[in-house]
Amino acid sequence: MRSFLLFTIALFFSIQTNAQTRGTLSGWIVNKNTQNPIGGVTVRVLNTSYSTVSDSLGRYQLKMIPTGQYQVVFTSLGSIPFTLYNVVVSSGNETINTIELLPQEVTLKEVLVGGNRKTVRAATLETPLSVQKLTAEEIKSSPGSNFDISKVVQSLPGVTGSASTSAGFRNDIIVRGGAPNENVFYLDGIEIPVINHFSTQGSAGGPQGILNVSFIDEVKLSTSAFDAKFDNALSSVFEFKQKRGNPNKLESNIRMGATEFATTFNGPLSKSGKTTFLASARRSYLQYLFHVLDLPIRPNFWDFQYKITHQIDPKTTLTFLGIGAIDDFHFVTPRNATPAKIYALNSSPSINQWSYTMGVSLKRLINKGYWTISMSRNHLNNLNEKYEDNLSQNKGELTLQFRSNEIENKVRFDITKSFLGLKWTTGANIQTVEYDNYTYQVLKSYIPLNTNQAIASPLKYNYFTDLAFKKYGAFFQLGKRAFNNRLGISAGIRTDGNGFNNSGKDFMSRISPRIGFSYVLTDKINLNASIGRYFKVAPLTVLGFKDLNGNFVNKNADYIGSNHYVAGIEYIPSDATRFTAEVFAKKYFGVPISIQKGISLSNLGADFNILGNEPISTKGFGKSYGFELFAQQKLTKRFFGVVSYSFFRSSYTNFAGKFIPSAWENIHLLSLTAGYKFNKNWELGLKFRFQGGTPYTPYDSVASRLNFATLKQGVFDYTQLNTLRVSPFHSSDLRVDKKYFYKKATLDFFLDVTNWYGSTSVAPRAYIFESNPDGTFKTTDGKPIKKDGSNAIPSLADGNQVFITPTVGFILEF
């Protein structure tokens, strides 16, 4: 019925379409180094007669442009020319961009560092390599990604997901073999700790992202050579740059697909246009998709997002932003109760979660620079519960109850200046942290003594904890170009600490230096290198863990550290084409190791459980190394494409100090994404990905049999950690878009098919007891299952399944 309705809407609009429709292109142009507006910039739409010049406030506007896809060139005396690709001018919403131009500080006889090729080059003086950028159009049109940025980036070099990600149920981000909680996320300079619905506390991933792509202007991903202003990053930094609201008129867009319904509004809040807003709300339809797939879990969510920008005067801008989510995760009886579905039903906890981040920032332009002060607050409330039988009216024994709050209040100040060919930034941050947690968890009901005997001695956690402390940080970054601008050098240093433990109070042991180099070998070839040390504080789930006597067991937990070594070459034959090759090595120290399991916590965090809620030791080590190849063709006429290949090895030590392959070690990653724009506003997108098999751990057959009736999941044999591997995985996604332009509206009608050729997902086989069609367990004696599983019939459920997920939807702008 929904598909028929969407088809009818599209057919109606196609009948009503006008022969000639037009739209508006506008925005702001600023100096990238100083953020001062640039007037007198020529803005020209290629292959047309449309052009204009920016005013003294850096604003530009081009009206009555025929709808379609264009390239827009920005040129100014004293600035490096910039080309914006794949600019869609629609008759619905005005196309608004904020353009940052780099100053051209060379004479005609010197090498023009970058020239027009700065457009396709994502690197900067501060981060000379290991960086990629995505535009809003690239995110929206990515096949199989469902407008989720976390899934889009997995087509970039060195980025992959977990085994659950390959099956399409989660969007964990694994970068160069690091753990899922080693990434940090910033939205217009405000840190966003939670960017996913049903987020794994202590980690980061979930089944669906929170950020609304309609707000996003650009995404920058750095996988090394991090700017010193960012703390807690070990594997990557995501910088989300949001759009500004339309200062000229009120606009709306509605997006509907198989998994969500979202509406977004933006426009002026004052007649002068100095105050603008963006606001959105989104409702999940994931529960209906999971119903179609007959999965026993039902995730349901809402999310909200806003941004208000007020121009106090030409030099001062005040910005308010916020993002929040409400999540509910429950269970239903599957129509076809396969062993794998019954396992999923009873092995996962129910999740009720809400979160928000709100922030305000004030930016002030000064002579040859600017300063920014920002304040923010974030809060995560999480309730997880699990029973022997999650679904029946008599749920049996409670095996997990986790109630927690994480609250952070942050203040950050930084100042950036450019003079005498130098660019420097310095700043500091302080935050208050509040954490509380009630945990009741049954780890084991029976402990085996030998192969024939066991003791009924439940191993449990049962405690309440709360703590409050402060975290501090300060940094300095300096950059300079030399030798006729051929050589770029950037060095930075930062230190971090906290008031919770002795390790956090030792600022000198947390000195984090980094330096990067970029050398222009020829006009088309750059050589780049960087080395740096980075630190991350242990998760609050680790720091707040208490024993039965109320003692903070992990109070002496050290910071996790990582040394990065990266070198690469970049070849840019044209303004729209880019090739890169990089080699990297990461060496970890202070990695948390589970005392109870004897394994590194860096192997965990890609499921719906809690990470770090246990005794740990920070004596672990890790290492990751490999190389990456990347090729990108920006859309110039009709075709665009991205190809990336990564080879890496990743391992962490166990409690005995032995290096063991990590749970994320795919070894090989290959991704191909391409698109083609046909006549009459048709567009085709195709994505293919291949990833090598990841390691996994076999089950302890004795302990699993003893405890499965209570825990509804097997017990891993961590003495054989990651000694097995799943098969390699490959899949392909397909997307078809058709745009209809009308006098004052635009309809984008799309079909997105995930895993269109029916590839089988790969996952380790799950330990189960054989069951009857009614869900009860089969037994050897025909009697009800015994608590210790002695009359059960153990088996392994095949988790490999084929999921072909078609999505029919539309985006309506007006």
Side-chain angles (χ1 to χ4, degrees), residues 552-568:
F552 286 108
V553 177
N554 303 321
K555 188 173 178 64
N556 294 321
D558 205 347
Y559 278 63
I560 310 167
S562 181
N563 296 327
H564 289 207
Y565 312 88
V566 190

Side-chain angles (χ1 to χ4, degrees), residues 71 107 123 316 480 619:
Q71 299 173 52
T107 66
T316 312
K480 169 69 175 174
K619 302 298 183 183

Side-chain angles (χ1 to χ4, degrees), residues 125-182:
L125 179 63
E126 296 81 6
T127 307
L129 76 174
S130 301
V131 60
Q132 308 290 343
K133 287 184 179 180
L134 294 169
T135 66
E137 283 301 319
E138 289 169 332
I139 297 168
K140 290 178 183 178
S141 61
S142 177
S145 300
N146 195 31
F147 306 100
D148 190 338
I149 298 168
S150 298
K151 294 178 181 178
V152 176
V153 299
Q154 292 178 23
S155 62
L156 299 178
V159 185
T160 185
S162 63
S164 298
T165 307
S166 68
F169 304 137
R170 287 179 62 87
N171 59 7
D172 303 287
I173 300 174
I174 313 297
V175 179
R176 290 180 169 175
N181 64 352
E182 294 180 4

Side-chain angles (χ1 to χ4, degrees), residues 169-460:
F169 304 137
R170 287 179 62 87
N171 59 7
D172 303 287
I173 300 174
I174 313 297
V175 179
R176 290 180 169 175
N181 64 352
E182 294 180 4
N183 314 299
V184 295
F185 310 91
Y186 284 83
L187 187 67
D188 287 345
I190 301 291
E191 185 177 4
I192 309 293
V194 180
I195 68 161
N196 286 302
H197 292 282
F198 308 100
S199 180
T200 300
Q201 194 165 347
S203 190
Q208 179 68 40
I210 295 176
L211 294 176
N212 185 346
V213 68
S214 297
F215 276 56
I216 302 301
D217 188 19
E218 180 183 81
V219 179
K220 178 182 176 182
L221 169 63
S222 306
T223 55
S224 192
F226 307 133
D227 193 309
K229 65 183 177 182
F230 299 117
D231 61 321
N232 260 8
L234 294 181
S235 280
S236 77
V237 175
F238 283 79
E239 297 174 73
F240 302 100
K241 187 173 75 173
Q242 296 188 107
K243 299 175 180 178
R244 292 177 65 171
N246 192 329
N248 305 311
K249 65 175 182 177
L250 179 66
E251 298 179 329
S252 305
N253 77 62
I254 295 173
R255 184 173 74 241
M256 183 175 180
T259 61
E260 63 178 9
F261 176 82
T263 180
T264 304
F265 299 91
N266 83 93
L269 288 176
S270 63
K271 292 182 178 179
S272 65
K274 291 183 178 181
T275 306
T276 63
F277 83 98
L278 294 99
S280 75
R282 180 168 58 160
R283 174 74 161 86
S284 162
Y285 287 113
L286 272 176
Q287 63 270 36
Y288 301 117
L289 174 62
F290 281 36
H291 171 75
V292 172
L293 298 176
D294 194 28
L295 297 176
I297 55 178
R298 291 292 185 272
N300 181 26
F301 66 75
W302 287 83
D303 61 47
F304 312 90
Q305 193 169 341
Y306 71 86
K307 178 181 179 180
I308 299 173
T309 305
H310 176 60
Q311 193 82 35
I312 298 175
D313 58 48
K315 293 183 177 296
T316 312
T317 304
L318 182 66
T319 302
F320 299 88
L321 62 84
I323 183 170
I326 303 172
D327 304 330
D328 173 49
F329 184 110
H330 61 277
F331 303 97
V332 297
T333 304
R335 297 185 298 275
N336 178 24
T338 65
K341 292 175 183 177
I342 294 175
Y343 174 80
L345 176 65
N346 288 314
S347 64
S348 300
S350 64
I351 302 173
N352 284 280
Q353 189 177 102
W354 55 262
S355 65
Y356 69 80
T357 298
M358 296 188 298
V360 56
S361 66
L362 182 69
K363 177 186 283 188
R364 174 72 178 177
L365 304 182
I366 57 178
N367 183 35
K368 297 184 179 180
Y370 60 96
W371 58 257
T372 304
I373 185 169
S374 63
M375 296 180 290
S376 65
R377 176 182 172 90
N378 54 266
H379 188 170
L380 169 66
N381 177 278
N382 191 17
L383 171 61
N384 289 20
E385 288 185 330
K386 181 182 168 188
Y387 293 84
E388 283 187 6
D389 189 336
N390 277 327
L391 192 60
S392 67
Q393 187 173 0
N394 179 17
K395 295 184 176 182
E397 181 183 349
L398 176 69
T399 60
L400 171 67
Q401 187 174 75
F402 179 89
R403 299 195 303 266
S404 178
N405 287 280
E406 292 186 7
I407 304 172
E408 295 175 319
N409 298 292
K410 305 175 183 179
V411 178
R412 179 186 297 267
F413 175 81
D414 60 73
I415 182 171
T416 299
K417 294 266 296 185
S418 297
F419 67 97
L420 300 177
L422 293 169
K423 179 184 178 183
W424 60 266
T425 304
T426 188
N429 60 277
I430 182 172
Q431 59 182 282
T432 62
V433 179
E434 299 174 41
Y435 174 73
D436 65 71
N437 168 14
Y438 168 73
T439 294
Y440 175 84
Q441 184 176 10
V442 178
L443 302 177
K444 292 180 181 179
S445 293
Y446 291 85
I447 300 175
L449 300 178
N450 52 51
T451 55
N452 298 316
Q453 291 182 314
I455 182 172
S457 178
L459 177 60
K460 300 179 180 179

Side-chain angles (χ1 to χ4, degrees), residues 454-493:
I455 182 172
S457 178
L459 177 60
K460 300 179 180 179
Y461 295 149
N462 189 359
Y463 72 93
F464 173 79
T465 184
D466 62 338
L467 72 156
F469 61 95
K470 291 182 174 64
K471 294 164 65 176
Y472 319 89
F475 72 92
F476 180 78
Q477 184 96 25
L478 178 68
K480 169 69 175 174
R481 293 197 180 275
F483 301 109
N484 291 334
N485 286 326
R486 286 185 177 275
L487 177 65
I489 305 174
S490 181
I493 190 169

Side-chain angles (χ1 to χ4, degrees), residues 6 9 254-257 261 747-750 808-812:
L6 295 175
I9 293 172
I254 295 173
R255 184 173 74 241
M256 183 175 180
F261 176 82
L747 176 68
D748 181 354
F749 187 72
F750 64 86
V808 179
F810 68 87
I811 304 171
L812 178 62

